[in-house]
Amino acid sequence: MCGRFSMAEDFTVLEKLFNLEPIDFPLKPRYNIAPTQDVPVVIWEGGRRLKLFRWGLIPAWAKNPAIGQKMINARAETVDQKPSFKNLLFRRRCLVLADGFYEWEKSGGKKIPYRIVLKNRKPFAFAGLYDIWQDPGGRMLYSCTIITTEANRLIRSIHDRMPVILNHEAISIWLDLGIKDVNLIKSLLTPYPEKEMDIFEVSSLVNSPQVDIPQCIEPVKRLF
């Protein structure tokens, strides 16, 4: 499961790193993004365009948008089989941008938060899917989910799942909706190499989704 992440990098860095079209709206730093909040998403619209979508997928056929609270993640192993996801896998793939994500380790009745980042500290892209839901008044709501896979050896010490992180080659394939080969698409949904990642304990401030301050991402101590 991926239930919390951060995206505090400057938009000019994102434009260059992910070859985005110019970002024409304010993008404020986020240190503790939680489900149901807006997250930075990249879709293909004649170019790689950054949007803000609600985190927690609301299928177009849903009668109640509250279903999105239960659909923040999609499992890589079954994403092509579940009714809420299988068509989106071919029609509405997206990237969800992050610079770190959080997991919690249960220890002695307590939950200890850890932040996982790339060793080079650069932002990265989760594999995501999105859909468009229309409310009775005709308002369009864009929402997304993050795909997860089995944890690599680094993360497995605290959790058995991790979000799918796409390298730059995989990003190009993922955003190309002309690619319909399910085997090729699913081959991208694998654990990111542990040798390229780092993990460290952070403050319990991050336990509350209402706290969104720089101190959330600061190391308390390293796991290794």
Side-chain angles (χ1 to χ4, degrees):
M1 178 176 177
C2 175
R4 213 78 66 76
F5 66 97
S6 61
M7 181 63 261
E9 189 58 81
D10 185 85
F11 74 93
T12 57
V13 174
L14 299 181
E15 287 179 345
K16 183 176 181 180
L17 185 61
F18 296 101
N19 193 26
L20 304 179
E21 298 297 314
I23 300 171
D24 58 2
F25 59 89
L27 189 65
K28 68 176 183 178
R30 296 294 313 280
Y31 306 96
N32 189 15
I33 301 172
T36 76
Q37 297 176 354
D38 287 344
V39 297
V41 168
V42 176
I43 62 174
W44 181 263
E45 285 185 341
R48 296 181 180 182
R49 300 189 184 276
L50 188 75
K51 309 280 187 177
L52 291 177
F53 291 176
R54 177 174 168 170
W55 184 16
L57 188 88
I58 305 170
W61 46 260
K63 294 182 178 180
N64 190 327
I67 192 175
Q69 299 176 30
K70 301 178 180 179
M71 301 180 71
I72 64 171
N73 292 153
R75 294 177 66 93
E77 295 87 344
T78 57
V79 69
D80 58 331
Q81 302 168 26
K82 298 292 185 179
S84 299
F85 305 130
K86 63 181 182 180
N87 291 328
L88 302 181
L89 190 63
F90 303 105
R91 300 188 299 112
R92 288 182 172 157
R93 300 192 293 268
C94 67
L95 311 176
V96 180
L97 301 188
D99 59 11
F101 63 97
Y102 302 101
E103 287 294 355
W104 282 259
E105 179 186 30
K106 294 180 180 179
S107 177
K110 299 173 63 176
K111 293 179 69 177
I112 302 172
Y114 291 89
R115 186 167 186 249
I116 300 102
V117 298
L118 298 189
K119 281 189 174 178
N120 61 18
R121 298 305 193 268
K122 290 183 178 181
F124 49 85
F126 297 136
L129 302 172
Y130 74 98
D131 209 347
I132 308 169
W133 182 80
Q134 185 172 346
D135 70 14
R139 184 176 70 99
M140 311 297 282
L141 179 58
Y142 288 71
S143 63
C144 64
T145 189
I146 294 170
I147 300 176
T148 66
T149 186
E150 62 181 354
N152 62 28
R153 285 187 295 178
L154 179 68
I155 297 171
R156 198 178 303 142
S157 61
I158 59 170
H159 203 279
D160 62 354
R161 303 289 296 177
M162 67 177 291
V164 172
I165 298 174
L166 301 174
N167 62 32
H168 284 278
E169 180 181 356
I171 284 173
S172 296
I173 298 172
W174 188 254
L175 289 179
D176 184 351
L177 298 182
I179 296 176
K180 308 292 186 181
D181 184 338
V182 67
N183 292 322
L184 174 57
I185 293 170
K186 290 195 68 175
S187 73
L188 307 176
L189 307 179
T190 57
Y192 202 76
E194 61 267 15
K195 65 180 181 180
E196 297 180 24
M197 305 186 77
D198 199 4
I199 185 170
F200 48 84
E201 185 179 339
V202 292
S203 168
S204 60
L205 286 169
V206 78
N207 292 353
S208 171
Q210 280 74 47
V211 178
D212 188 12
I213 56 178
Q215 288 85 345
C216 289
I217 68 173
E218 295 176 359
V220 173
K221 63 180 179 181
R222 296 177 62 85
L223 182 57
F224 302 112

